[in-house]
Amino acid sequence: MPIPVILDVDTGVDDALALLFAAAHPELDLIGVSCVAGNASLERVVENSLRVLAVAGAGHVPVAAGAHRPLIEPARDAGHVHGANGLAGIELPPAAREAEADGAVAFLRRTILEHPEPVTLVTLAPQTNVALLLRTHPGVVDNIARIVFMGGSAGPGNATAVAEFNVWHDPEAAAIVLSSGVPLYMYGLDVFERVAVPQDVALELAASADPRAALVGQLLNHRIRDTEGGESVYLGHIGDAGAVCSIVAPDALRTERLPVRVELAGYGRGQTVVDRRRFPGEDLFHGLADGWAEVEVALGIDDERIANLFLDAVVPGRAADAAPADAG
Ligand code: RIB
Ligand code: CA
């Protein structure tokens, strides 16, 4: 049976890749999408998500608008990374439908509680919507199988030297999710930045006659990092899509169950501290080891396998072309 998933997104170049994968892979049942400000304004994120789902042939998947800004921090978009329209400047046909009338928190509550089996909640953005959901309707945890979140890092950050963008954008929201008691899977920068598509493949896709394959190629080709010299470099990261791929191919990742906390003060605000010590330290002996959550943290990934899993799902016919001819 396909796994029921809800994606919470700030579409965004790589959120778009994640939506395309979730809508395409037969082992996933994309039952809803909730939107939050992050990479772009909420209005832009909603419109981008609706447009991308239309290209994915998933115009039936409901989309709900959530928080306009983090719980405490101001809204800070990432136009310098995802382009002014949040979608690498790619202009897709305007959405032919509206978002759900009742907003993300109410939408998430009814979608989760009404589903006949526990739902996997995949957060690919600042976790403001999910924090509000947990604070408003705590009973939803009874029908959440786990939260798979793209966020955090056991090592360096990207938004700051120590904090990853989604957690840094709304640290309080991340702390609420960590303390929820829901099983948590962290797909952080340690693996997020490892999965890339070769540039020649991305360029070939961008020239495809198939609208979905062409969109994938255009998104992968978006330069999201300029070097000091001012020219842009090709990265080809599938980004958020890798977190969704991990649901379908968990054995392609190496994980450890580790204590994780979010720092809320000082320069380290938004840092996910991952405790990888092998032996207890003074904090434990002196009763200072509070505020930690047990999280399954992804630390390694078979990047080529995940990249191919992604491409096989979103590029029509690719998997069949690569399949060995029948011996008979
Ligand atoms: O740090 C990477 C995360 O920030 C991704 O979810 C990307 O879409 C941005 O939201
Ligand atoms: Ca995102």
Side-chain angles (χ1 to χ4, degrees), residues 1 14 23 49 57 89 133 153-155 159 167 181 202 204 207 213 216-217 271 278-280 311 322:
M1 282 293 283
D14 56 329
S49 301
L133 171 69
S153 171
V167 174
E204 184 182 345
V216 169
Q271 179 181 11
R278 290 183 54 223
F279 303 106
L311 290 173

Side-chain angles (χ1 to χ4, degrees), residues 119-187:
V119 173
T120 295
L121 188 50
V122 186
T123 69
L124 304 173
Q127 297 175 307
T128 318
N129 287 342
V130 178
L132 290 169
L133 171 69
L134 292 168
R135 284 289 189 263
T136 311
H137 305 292
V140 293
V141 300
D142 294 340
N143 210 36
I144 296 176
R146 62 178 179 147
I147 295 175
V148 174
F149 67 98
M150 192 283 122
S153 171
N158 55 3
T160 74
V162 293
E164 176 278 326
F165 178 86
N166 288 337
V167 174
W168 171 80
H169 206 87
D170 198 338
E172 283 73 22
I176 289 170
V177 171
L178 278 181
S179 65
S180 65
V182 174
L184 299 173
Y185 184 101
M186 176 173 145
Y187 187 92

Side-chain angles (χ1 to χ4, degrees), residues 315-326:
V315 179
R318 183 179 189 270
D321 292 348
D326 288 340

Side-chain angles (χ1 to χ4, degrees), residues 25-136:
H25 200 282
E27 293 180 33
L28 298 173
D29 178 11
L30 180 60
I31 62 173
V33 175
S34 50
C35 299
V36 66
N39 289 327
S41 69
L42 176 66
E43 293 73 19
R44 198 64 247 178
V45 169
V46 171
E47 179 65 17
N48 288 345
S49 301
L50 288 166
R51 293 185 180 190
V52 170
L53 287 171
V55 174
H60 61 286
V61 175
V63 173
H68 287 263
R69 56 166 289 186
L71 298 179
I72 304 292
E73 294 290 339
R76 298 186 183 105
D77 79 34
H80 57 291
V81 175
H82 293 262
N85 73 347
L87 214 51
I90 301 165
E91 278 306 326
L92 296 174
R97 62 183 174 122
E98 300 290 324
E100 299 292 295
D102 57 355
V105 172
F107 167 76
L108 287 168
R109 175 185 177 277
R110 63 181 163 86
T111 304
I112 291 167
L113 291 180
E114 289 170 4
H115 203 274
E117 61 180 282
V119 173
T120 295
L121 188 50
V122 186
T123 69
L124 304 173
Q127 297 175 307
T128 318
N129 287 342
V130 178
L132 290 169
L133 171 69
L134 292 168
R135 284 289 189 263
T136 311

Side-chain angles (χ1 to χ4, degrees), residues 221-274:
N221 268 298
H222 173 60
R223 274 32 174 195
I224 62 171
R225 187 167 300 165
D226 286 327
T227 60
E228 285 66 30
E231 78 278 5
S232 62
V233 292
Y234 175 81
L235 295 174
H237 290 164
I238 71 169
D240 286 336
V244 189
C245 291
S246 76
I247 300 168
V248 173
D251 58 336
L253 290 96
R254 179 177 62 81
T255 66
E256 290 183 37
R257 288 197 60 75
L258 295 167
V260 178
R261 63 184 291 138
V262 179
E263 290 309 314
L264 299 178
Y267 180 81
R269 177 166 166 77
Q271 179 181 11
T272 50
V273 181
V274 179

